[in-house]
Amino acid sequence: NKVQYIRLLCEAYLCRGVRREIQCLIQGFWDIIPVEALQELEIGPGELSVLISGLQELSISDWLVHSTSISMEHPVHNWFWEVLEELTDEQKSLLLHFVTGSSRLPPGGFRALRPRFSVDVTPGPTPDHLPHAHTCINKLILHEYTSKEQLRSKLLMALSTEGFAFA
């Protein structure tokens, strides 16, 4: 079975020499926070990251200044920053986690985030697609939504979607 072989090969490369330590760490974590409790409360990887790391107050003006985009003049790009201003601190942390893989910034804030946070708007066959992210390059991809409300709805739906993170 190729899939099983690749999974086991990846596990061997990642865990070689530290398997016992990782198992002890995981068991200790589950002893404190049982997996059943997380499942019952429907706490996913993003929310767990926020619970462990805590909320960080994110400055939208700093976020904007230290971000890049190839679509700065597009209305969807401008709507994104307006919607971001309206999000709660928890939703902002979830968005940061969705795009970067971490719910907290490095020391130095957005200025120190490498690669820089990036927002791009791409044309697509339909505006029904959810936003997606390339966490390895801290890039958020938005589609050509027809309104700010549609963008907000799709963004919040993407942030609440489970099953796409690495376990």
Side-chain angles (χ1 to χ4, degrees):
N1 183 341
K2 291 179 188 178
V3 173
Q4 184 180 9
Y5 172 76
I6 291 172
R7 184 183 61 76
L8 291 171
L9 186 62
C10 289
E11 184 178 318
Y13 279 117
L14 293 173
C15 300
R16 184 181 306 143
V18 293
R19 181 174 314 281
R20 185 168 189 277
E21 290 84 354
I22 291 173
Q23 287 174 336
C24 290
L25 180 68
I26 291 171
Q27 185 57 50
F29 183 82
W30 294 137
D31 287 346
I32 296 169
I33 305 173
V35 70
E36 296 81 17
L38 296 175
Q39 290 170 339
E40 185 178 312
L41 296 171
E42 298 180 358
I43 296 175
E47 292 89 355
L48 185 58
S49 175
V50 170
L51 287 171
I52 291 172
S53 302
L55 287 176
Q56 183 177 29
E57 190 172 321
L58 302 171
S59 164
I60 304 305
S61 58
D62 190 43
W63 199 334
L64 177 60
V65 166
H66 297 289
S67 296
T68 63
S69 177
I70 58 171
S71 352
M72 286 189 164
E73 302 303 317
H74 200 286
V76 172
H77 181 268
N78 297 326
W79 293 338
F80 167 76
W81 293 104
E82 291 172 16
V83 167
L84 192 55
E85 286 278 356
E86 300 163 3
L87 296 180
T88 65
D89 286 342
E90 182 178 2
Q91 290 169 326
K92 290 172 192 171
S93 289
L94 288 173
L95 175 65
L96 184 65
H97 184 270
F98 180 74
V99 179
T100 67
S102 174
S103 59
R104 295 184 66 83
L105 290 169
F110 285 104
R111 182 178 6 93
L113 185 64
R114 295 291 179 260
R116 293 179 74 175
F117 185 91
S118 176
V119 181
D120 289 331
V121 180
T122 61
T126 172
D128 293 330
H129 287 73
L130 293 177
H132 63 276
H134 300 288
T135 55
C136 55
I137 56 172
N138 299 335
K139 181 180 280 208
L140 177 65
I141 305 295
L142 303 172
H143 300 284
E144 291 182 327
Y145 300 112
T146 57
S147 67
K148 179 178 162 183
E149 291 72 31
Q150 184 184 35
L151 167 62
R152 177 186 295 108
S153 171
K154 297 293 182 181
L155 188 59
L156 293 175
M157 193 180 304
L159 296 181
S160 66
T161 301
E162 294 294 329
F164 294 103
F166 289 106

